[in-house]
Each structure stands twice: as C-alpha cells, then as structure tokens.
Amino acid sequence: MNLAPRTKKIAGIIAAGLLVIVVAFVAVLALLIGNAPDREPTVTAYSDGHTVVVEPYLYCAVSDPLCDNVGETAEIGIGKARTVQLSLPESIYSAPWVLAVVYGDASGIVVENTQFNEPGTRHSVTVPTSDDADRTLLGIEVRLPTGIIDTDTNQEGFVSHAIWSIGTRP
C-alpha cells in the first residue's frame, strides 16, 4: 500500500501525539502511586464463620511511640466456636510482637496472658475461646513493642507503638 506524502505526515503527527499522551499518562500515574499514603497493616480475625479485618487501634512511628493515633477496637462474635484464628501480615510477624489474651468469668475475675513472639516465627495464631479455668475470652491484642528510655530517670522500658485490638462477643 502506497500512501501519499501528506497522509504519511498526518499519520506521523498523530502517532507522535499519542506517544506524548501515553508518556504523560504514565508519568502522572507513577507520581500518584509514589505519593499515595502508606496503608497501615491489618490483622485478619476469623471465628464462628465470620471474618473481620482489624485496623490498628494504635499506630505510631517507632521514633514517636507515644503518639495519639488511636483507632477503635474491632469486634468479632465467637458464638459456639472453640477458637479465634488470627492471620498476621509480614510487617507484624517479621518483627518482635506480643500476643495478649484476656479471659474473664461471671465472678468478675479477669486474667491477661501475654506471649512474646520472635520475628518470623508465627504468621498465624489460634486463640481458644475459653482458658483452662473455663473463663471466657474477652479480647485479644497484637502489640508491637519498642524500647524507650526515660530521660529523667534513665530507666529503660517498653511501650507498644502499634496495637491491634479485638473484642469478642457471644
């Protein structure tokens, strides 16, 4: 097929224009993706046939562990289930983390059990809905600790710079 010189010129201009538009679109898209805010990690909880995505209750930068970035406690119904299963993202299980489990009974006795977890050792957890003393599961927290030093006393300690909080209901 032999095209007239004028047709070739118009086709070349259109092709160049489309190329400029595509390059501009890709540049704008890359800029938007690069400036998108980082999403805070979530924990997934499953029990009694229901799944809940748990946003952080507290999420602070490690360099500012005492911030006021407080969210809400997620709730999950446990019904007659014997366990609550948690699935953790890599950003949690690749760091040292603490599992805190709270049980209570009708007499008002409340017990919190905590377990420290080494980085990379567990990416999921199964929590019984009752403990050995037949107390009922009231709540679960996944915590990311960070070390702090009180500059007034030079005492070292730990605080949680991130917490995912899950309350249970029957």
Side-chain angles (χ1 to χ4, degrees):
M1 173 186 260
N2 208 358
L3 298 175
R6 182 176 175 175
T7 305
K8 288 181 184 179
K9 188 175 188 179
I10 292 172
I13 291 172
I14 291 173
L18 288 175
L19 182 61
V20 168
I21 291 171
V22 168
V23 169
F25 176 77
V26 169
V28 169
L29 186 61
L31 184 64
L32 290 174
I33 290 172
N35 290 338
D38 293 334
R39 283 198 43 88
E40 297 167 343
T42 59
V43 171
T44 303
Y46 174 83
S47 186
D48 196 35
H50 301 284
T51 301
V52 175
V53 176
V54 182
E55 300 286 335
Y57 174 77
L58 174 73
Y59 197 80
C60 304
V62 175
S63 60
D64 183 23
L66 303 176
C67 74
D68 294 327
N69 190 6
V70 177
E72 296 181 8
T73 298
E75 286 196 5
I76 190 165
I78 56 175
K80 299 215 182 275
R82 298 178 123 179
T83 62
V84 174
Q85 298 168 342
L86 303 180
S87 178
L88 309 175
E90 182 180 3
S91 57
I92 295 175
Y93 74 75
S94 64
W97 61 279
V98 174
L99 176 69
V101 181
V102 179
Y103 293 97
D105 63 19
S107 69
I109 295 176
V110 176
V111 176
E112 178 180 306
N113 301 317
T114 59
Q115 179 182 27
F116 178 81
N117 294 275
E118 294 286 333
T121 56
R122 298 172 72 186
H123 68 275
S124 63
V125 181
T126 300
V127 178
T129 55
S130 61
D131 67 2
D132 295 336
D134 204 33
R135 292 179 286 246
T136 303
L137 179 64
L138 301 176
I140 305 167
E141 284 188 351
V142 174
R143 303 172 182 163
L144 291 180
T146 191
I148 61 168
I149 297 175
D150 184 331
T151 56
D152 294 332
T153 64
N154 283 335
Q155 293 292 315
E156 297 176 0
F158 289 94
V159 297
S160 296
H161 73 273
I163 300 172
W164 291 262
S165 178
I166 305 160
T168 59
R169 63 183 190 291

